[in-house]
Amino acid sequence: MTTTNFDELATRILGGGAATEADALAVLQAPDSELMGVVAAAGRLRRAYFGNTVKVNYLVNLKSGLCPENCNYCSQALGSQAPILKYSWLSKEETLKQAGAGLRGGATRVCMVSSGRGPSERDIDKVVEMTEALKDEYDGVEVCACLGLLKDGQAARLKAAGVDAYNHNINTAESHHDNIVQTHTYDDRIDTIGKAKDAGLSPCSGLIAGLGETDEQLVEALFALKALDTDSIPVNFLMPFDGTPYQNTWELSPLRCVKILTMARFVCPDKEIRIAGGREMHLRTLQATALQVANSIFLGDYLTSEGQDAKADLEMLRDNGFTILGLDADAFDELIASHDRPAAAHGCGDSCGDSCGGCASGDTAGGTCGPQIRTRGAGTAVPANA
Ligand code: SF4
């Protein structure tokens, strides 16, 4: 039975204190009926550090599928039968086109991701070229690379090319890691985050909830991220693709997801907490509630699955009184209005019109439908969702 007073906890943190592991566990185990009070308390931290801004990020999957690693949660993994798009490296031109769609859609950060254990030097050459081209073309764009395990010297090459951040998720607690992947270790992951930090790249690392971990392991993972002092923390909610070992694994509810994000805010009050994959599928109608504690999202589609329509993302932010980081109010209105114009007038093409993001049938209420495989954007001839 918890006795934590979350408003007092927020006051203590704002005064320079820190949440304990017991506090974090109390958030996860708070009664559902009291959750909105807990969210309001954590929301004080969110507003103290980030106001009502939401950072918008955009994913470009440079290389999809065909991975030799066996991360059990991943649709791109060795042995995955998920019917995802599979392609080798996008060209620089295609990358610029896909990134441009996201940037015009309101994103300030482009996250360039490739499947695989880690990049070769030739892969780094490609990302260097892409980064330089992106920085030339789009003033002020932030570039994050997510290319897997890094070898000595590779982070420095990315930094020299203008890459701002490097993402490598710890994914889960160290005590649970070997249950979810066997082809690399938790220490391999920590090593790569260290290499990125040492090279001066902004470290981005987060987790995936819903992998059979206990509450205590979620707390363990969050405190590991706190110790790593990563600047941004993407929180993913497992999307159980058919054809992967986690197919039909449904451990999460919308309230559970809000509790996880709220815990993250209490533990890492001044860090960018990003609601990542699985947002639509698992938070459902609580997406906006979750943004009372989180301050960052991905716009549009994910690496191998489709997110809700970009216009629905933008309208959700505006309806709930949020602003987009880097965009003034008029530009925000104009951006939303641009989605109402015919495709030819604003250049983004048509989208599928399905705003569900979690299910081909548009019905995720029972939590029984799988992810909707991405069939637009990078690797296809169909315009991106942005
Ligand atoms: S998470 Fe990355 S390394 Fe693991 S299987 Fe997927 S693409 Fe490969």
Side-chain angles (χ1 to χ4, degrees):
M1 186 69 184
T2 173
T3 54
T4 303
N5 180 316
F6 294 101
D7 211 40
E8 281 177 18
L9 175 61
T11 300
R12 198 168 79 223
I13 293 170
L14 288 169
T20 64
E21 295 184 11
D23 293 328
L25 200 56
V27 175
L28 285 184
Q29 296 177 352
D32 290 350
S33 58
E34 292 174 20
L35 182 61
M36 291 309 140
V38 188
V39 167
R44 291 174 54 204
L45 305 175
R46 185 244 201 264
R47 286 191 158 67
Y49 290 103
F50 300 100
N52 65 343
T53 62
V54 173
K55 181 162 183 170
V56 175
N57 309 271
Y58 195 69
L59 286 162
V60 179
N61 200 0
L62 301 177
K63 175 170 171 273
S64 182
L66 313 167
C67 186
E69 300 296 290
N70 79 340
C71 310
N72 290 344
Y73 53 82
C74 180
S75 60
Q76 306 185 72
L78 179 74
S80 164
Q81 300 297 317
I84 58 165
L85 287 171
K86 295 188 178 89
Y87 50 84
S88 192
W89 288 83
L90 297 185
S91 67
K92 181 176 75 181
E93 292 68 32
E94 182 64 14
T95 302
L96 278 180
K97 181 179 153 197
Q98 298 298 334
L103 292 166
R104 282 191 301 277
T108 49
R109 173 178 283 198
V110 173
C111 304
M112 297 196 294
V113 187
S114 71
S115 62
R117 179 177 173 87
S120 66
E121 294 306 320
R122 285 194 58 200
D123 296 338
I124 296 284
D125 291 344
K126 292 188 186 95
V127 176
V128 162
E129 262 191 54
M130 290 168 179
T131 302
E132 289 169 348
L134 264 173
K135 294 266 172 172
D136 276 351
E137 181 99 10
Y138 298 101
D139 226 16
V141 61
E142 269 184 35
V143 173
C144 179
C146 175
L147 312 172
L149 299 170
L150 292 173
K151 299 177 201 66
D152 287 344
Q154 292 185 325
R157 291 192 62 204
L158 294 172
K159 174 71 181 173
V163 172
D164 298 282
Y166 196 83
N167 166 266
H168 199 59
N169 294 331
I170 63 168
N171 287 329
T172 192
E174 183 175 8
S175 61
H176 191 45
H177 181 273
D178 293 354
N179 297 326
I180 67 166
V181 56
Q182 293 77 39
T183 48
H184 56 261
T185 66
Y186 182 84
D187 285 346
D188 289 335
R189 292 194 162 264
I190 299 295
D191 178 70
T192 281
I193 298 162
K195 284 187 165 82
K197 279 172 84 169
D198 290 348
L201 295 166
S202 168
C204 171
S205 186
L207 49 86
I208 307 170
L211 297 173
E213 70 281 350
T214 63
D215 284 357
E216 287 76 9
Q217 284 170 324
L218 272 176
V219 171
E220 181 190 337
L222 241 304
F223 275 81
L225 291 169
K226 181 185 169 80
L228 284 168
D229 197 25
T230 56
D231 294 331
S232 43
I233 301 178
V235 178
N236 296 275
F237 302 109
L238 176 69
M239 302 180 78
F241 285 84
D242 282 349
T244 67
Y246 278 105
Q247 73 177 14
N248 296 323
T249 302
W250 299 98
E251 298 179 354
L252 300 166
S253 68
L255 287 170
R256 170 82 171 163
C257 295
V258 171
K259 287 178 189 177
I260 292 167
L261 292 162
T262 303
M263 172 183 69
R265 176 58 65 206
F266 275 120
V267 175
C268 302
D270 58 347
K271 302 300 187 190
E272 179 189 332
I273 307 287
R274 185 180 312 144
I275 317 175
R279 164 165 60 93
E280 299 91 334
M281 167 179 279
H282 290 292
L283 280 160
R284 303 204 290 264
T285 57
L286 294 190
Q287 289 186 60
T289 302
L291 279 167
Q292 300 299 330
V293 292
N295 67 301
S296 180
I297 60 168
F298 286 113
L299 178 76
D301 293 334
Y302 301 98
L303 297 176
T304 62
S305 65
E306 294 194 347
Q308 70 187 1
D309 193 78
K311 184 184 176 200
D313 282 341
L314 298 172
E315 287 179 336
M316 173 181 70
L317 300 186
R318 188 178 61 179
D319 290 352
N320 285 277
F322 294 112
T323 60
I324 292 184
L325 193 65
L327 216 59
D328 67 28
D330 288 345
F332 192 0
D333 287 343
E334 167 61 21
L335 182 59
I336 291 178
S338 73
H339 282 268
D340 294 327
R341 292 186 206 124
H346 61 95
C348 75
D350 54 0
S351 65
C352 78
D354 177 351
S355 64
C356 157
C359 171
S361 73
D363 176 16
T364 57
T368 54
C369 303
Q372 184 177 346
I373 302 294
R374 179 170 67 81
T375 55
R376 59 193 174 191
T380 77
V382 183
N385 177 26

